[in-house]
Amino acid sequence: MSEQLAKELQLEEENAAFPEVVAAAEGPFITGENIDTSSDLMLAQMLQMEFDREYDAQLRREEKKINGDSKVSISFENYRKVHPYDSDSSEDEVDWQDTRHDPYRADKPTTTPRRGFIGKGKDITTKHDEVVCGRKNTARMENFAPEFQVGDGIGMDLKLSNQVFNALKQHAYSEERRSARLHEKKEHSTAEKAVDPKTRLLLYKMVNSGMLETITGCISTGKESVVFHAYGGSATEDKVIPPECAIKVFKTTLNEFKNRDKYIKDDYRFKDRFSKLNPRKIIRMWAEKEMHNLTRMQNAGIPCPQVVILKKHVLVMSFIGQDQVPAPKLKDVTLSSEDMKKAYYQILNMMQQLYRECNLVHADLSEYNMLWHDGKVWLIDVSQSVEPTHPHGLEFLFRDCRNVSQFFQKGGVAEALNERELFNAVSGLNITADNEVDFQAEIEALEKMNEDHVQNHGKKLSTFSSDGDPPIYDE
Ligand code: ADP
Ligand code: MG
């Protein structure tokens, strides 16, 4: 087969696998005008979801009827239509918990030794003994795929005949393959910029309600979010919708978020809720956090996107840029030395405002999260921002300062403070260490003092004490 033909075939296959992506790339993603065609599909999907839910509810009722008060229960879990990992209804069932240790797991029964029998004479027990074999089969069920729920057969001293065990094993294998197939499909759809059906539905509703006019396409796809551009729709009673909007969809694939929980877990604003939440809800909290932080910044007059609406894990905000072209990141724009200096002083002021007026540390501040638009710098991406008294707040601030200092020093701004000076200028603290190691040690000591205060008084310091307000820098 020629290389050309092979390529064509592969392309065809890919197109068949991701038709939505192609549609998004060719024209508007979801528009007011194409509702007629796309809505049939959407409505059908919505209806199907409804049917599936009803079916599952009926299944649950049947399950209850059959099981009654019996200690041994039969599960119809594997016959459910809306599978647990793509169902909202599972949210309250699966809690955020450590599953490495299962205190309820019974000890495994001892197995017969290798030579195949124990005991002597009349009391001899071979590996073919029905009871031993049955128990062994029950224990072997533990090796089925984790999503295959086998119940507590060991605790019940359940004995499975070889025939039953083999049938179960066969079923477990085919179920595992089926679920892997489903999962793979879903992963691909997020990887390919498209959003999962539920998010699509949410977006569709926003267009359908007239809040958005058209969702034109994807601006950016990162590890944790996908950002779309949209034209704003008509204003509602209490809201003016900006002419152009950015829609940030926090990814509902959970893996990327696991290592970020330190930002939110120790944030007292979310602390009480964190322990009770499952991963899906934590992702919604990221979106919520970004909304609250943006609102604080807006109130302080810091240039940043204005929040339009938050729906679950989807945040709609004003678009920084024009005619579908997003403003460039600071890292991608070439500024005159005059503009560079202007940008530097603006950022210095914004960091101070953020710290003092918004009581926030950005915590991911760098040339990647600052946009250059209308002759000034705009701050974005604040879902991970924390208050300065967060257990790692000052460390995050120091990291931000290092990024900013390095960027502007490399960019030729002679006036740019070094990271330690910048840290003191933003925080109003007066850490005198003249090298990085000692400086960081002092930062950590301050954070520890704050934590001790929490231990002793049950609350955080209102701020870190300083010699007064930080000096305001101006050009
Ligand atoms: P992530 O957490 O994925 O980095 P960001 O909030 O930084 O998410 O958004 C990713 C990219 O999307 C940004 O670098 C920027 O180019 C674009 N973007 C995000 N929000 C806006 C907005 N309000 N206006 C214009 N572009 C935006
Ligand atoms: Mg970013």
Side-chain angles (χ1 to χ4, degrees):
M1 191 173 7
S2 75
E3 201 178 317
Q4 172 76 18
L5 183 63
K7 257 191 200 149
E8 274 172 19
L9 280 177
Q10 190 185 347
L11 209 66
E12 228 169 71
E13 225 169 70
E14 279 170 10
N15 286 349
F18 308 113
E20 295 166 14
V21 179
V22 174
E26 275 172 356
F29 182 61
I30 297 177
T31 70
E33 286 115 51
N34 71 12
I35 278 176
D36 279 342
T37 46
S38 75
S39 71
D40 280 349
L41 174 68
M42 274 299 165
L43 289 176
Q45 280 179 343
M46 279 160 84
L47 209 59
Q48 186 62 50
M49 237 189 247
E50 233 16 79
F51 279 138
D52 289 349
R53 281 220 181 88
E54 267 172 38
Y55 176 84
D56 287 350
Q58 179 62 24
L59 213 61
R60 267 197 293 276
R61 281 194 291 276
E62 293 287 335
E63 200 178 276
K64 235 186 204 153
K65 209 162 78 190
I66 288 183
N67 289 329
D69 296 332
S70 164
K71 276 186 186 156
V72 182
S73 62
I74 293 169
S75 165
F76 289 171
E77 188 67 27
N78 290 318
Y79 295 96
R80 284 181 59 187
K81 292 276 189 207
V82 184
H83 256 253
Y85 50 75
D86 53 25
S87 145
D88 252 347
S89 59
S90 70
E91 285 181 356
D92 302 321
E93 293 155 24
V94 195
D95 254 333
W96 185 256
Q97 59 187 343
D98 187 349
T99 49
R100 276 169 301 184
H101 174 65
D102 180 358
Y104 300 106
R105 176 162 294 180
D107 290 335
K108 288 196 177 177
T110 47
T111 48
T112 43
R114 266 191 182 279
R115 65 180 191 274
F117 64 91
I118 47 172
K120 272 186 200 162
K122 239 183 17 194
D123 298 327
I124 197 163
T125 314
T126 72
K127 66 179 175 189
H128 303 296
D129 181 89
E130 216 175 301
V131 174
V132 174
C133 200
R135 283 187 186 141
K136 228 158 86 179
N137 283 341
T138 306
R140 279 161 69 195
M141 273 203 314
E142 296 267 296
N143 299 332
F144 290 174
E147 65 270 20
F148 195 81
Q149 294 174 11
V150 294
D152 180 19
I154 298 172
M156 277 164 33
D157 196 20
L158 185 71
K159 297 159 206 98
L160 291 178
S161 71
N162 286 347
Q163 198 189 2
V164 172
F165 173 75
N166 284 332
L168 279 173
K169 190 168 79 177
Q170 210 51 49
H171 176 64
Y173 284 165
S174 53
E175 186 63 14
E176 196 179 343
R177 276 198 301 277
R178 190 181 78 94
S179 125
R181 227 175 21 242
L182 274 177
H183 207 68
E184 193 180 53
K185 255 195 203 158
K186 211 175 134 235
E187 287 290 310
H188 272 295
S189 71
T190 22
E192 289 293 325
K193 297 181 197 172
V195 289
D196 58 58
K198 282 214 173 98
T199 311
R200 237 178 123 74
L201 212 57
L202 265 178
L203 297 180
Y204 169 73
K205 281 182 187 164
M206 288 179 185
V207 175
N208 206 22
S209 71
M211 195 191 82
L212 296 178
E213 175 74 33
T214 318
I215 299 176
T216 58
C218 176
I219 307 169
S220 141
T221 146
K223 273 199 300 194
E224 291 141 3
S225 71
V226 184
V227 181
F228 295 97
H229 170 274
Y231 284 109
S234 41
T236 57
E237 293 144 28
D238 57 338
K239 259 199 188 79
V240 180
I241 315 289
E244 290 185 75
C245 297
I247 307 171
K248 186 165 177 177
V249 177
F250 288 76
K251 278 201 186 167
T252 47
T253 21
L254 308 168
N255 295 347
E256 304 296 343
F257 280 90
K258 280 193 185 139
N259 55 3
R260 298 194 82 199
D261 63 355
K262 71 171 174 189
Y263 289 95
I264 213 163
K265 197 170 65 191
D266 296 327
D267 188 329
Y268 78 92
R269 293 179 291 168
F270 297 87
K271 205 163 192 157
D272 285 347
R273 293 161 58 195
F274 188 83
S275 58
K276 300 185 196 105
L277 292 176
N278 67 45
R280 212 180 283 266
K281 288 196 179 150
I282 287 172
I283 287 165
R284 286 192 198 164
M285 251 159 90
W286 281 103
E288 200 184 309
K289 218 170 158 223
E290 176 128 29
M291 176 189 71
H292 286 308
N293 292 342
L294 281 175
T295 309
R296 280 194 199 183
M297 289 160 68
Q298 196 78 43
N299 291 341
I302 295 175
C304 67
Q306 189 187 345
V307 173
V308 178
I309 201 169
L310 171 77
K311 286 256 188 239
K312 296 187 176 176
H313 58 289
V314 176
L315 179 67
V316 183
M317 55 190 146
S318 63
F319 179 71
I320 315 298
Q322 210 183 354
D323 298 334
Q324 295 188 42
V325 182
K329 299 182 186 81
L330 220 49
K331 80 163 179 77
D332 292 326
V333 76
T334 318
L335 297 182
S336 66
S337 59
E338 202 178 310
D339 275 345
M340 197 71 174
K341 194 170 136 187
K342 190 168 131 194
Y344 173 71
Y345 280 109
Q346 194 205 330
I347 291 165
L348 179 49
N349 272 323
M350 284 199 292
M351 287 176 84
Q352 290 182 328
Q353 270 181 296
L354 201 61
Y355 190 94
R356 292 193 297 155
E357 291 168 41
C358 308
N359 197 29
L360 283 177
V361 168
H362 188 290
D364 193 15
L365 191 66
S366 74
E367 58 275 24
Y368 287 80
N369 283 329
M370 298 190 265
L371 306 182
W372 181 255
H373 179 62
D374 256 357
K376 61 181 173 192
V377 178
W378 298 65
L379 293 190
I380 57 162
D381 201 0
V382 289
S383 60
Q384 73 292 315
S385 302
V386 294
E387 300 201 340
T389 49
H390 178 285
H392 303 288
L394 295 183
E395 286 166 76
F396 296 151
L397 177 62
F398 189 58
R399 197 175 59 193
D400 286 354
C401 290
R402 189 189 297 138
N403 292 338
V404 170
S405 286
Q406 282 178 358
F407 178 75
F408 284 98
Q409 281 174 346
K410 272 192 201 139
V413 178
E415 297 86 345
L417 303 173
N418 72 33
E419 63 242 43
R420 297 187 297 279
E421 292 163 341
L422 183 59
F423 179 94
N424 282 339
V426 170
S427 64
L429 293 165
N430 190 17
I431 300 181
T432 48
D434 60 358
N435 65 77
E436 180 159 341
V437 176
D438 293 345
F439 201 90
Q440 268 181 327
E442 281 198 45
I443 286 177
E444 278 163 34
L446 276 173
E447 287 177 338
K448 176 147 191 329
M449 188 182 80
N450 181 42
E451 281 308 287
D452 290 346
H453 188 86
V454 174
Q455 292 291 322
N456 298 334
H457 299 88
K459 61 174 198 248
K460 287 171 182 282
L461 295 167
S462 55
T463 59
F464 289 100
S465 55
S466 67
D467 307 336
D469 283 342
I472 297 292
Y473 280 80
D474 223 333
E475 275 177 88

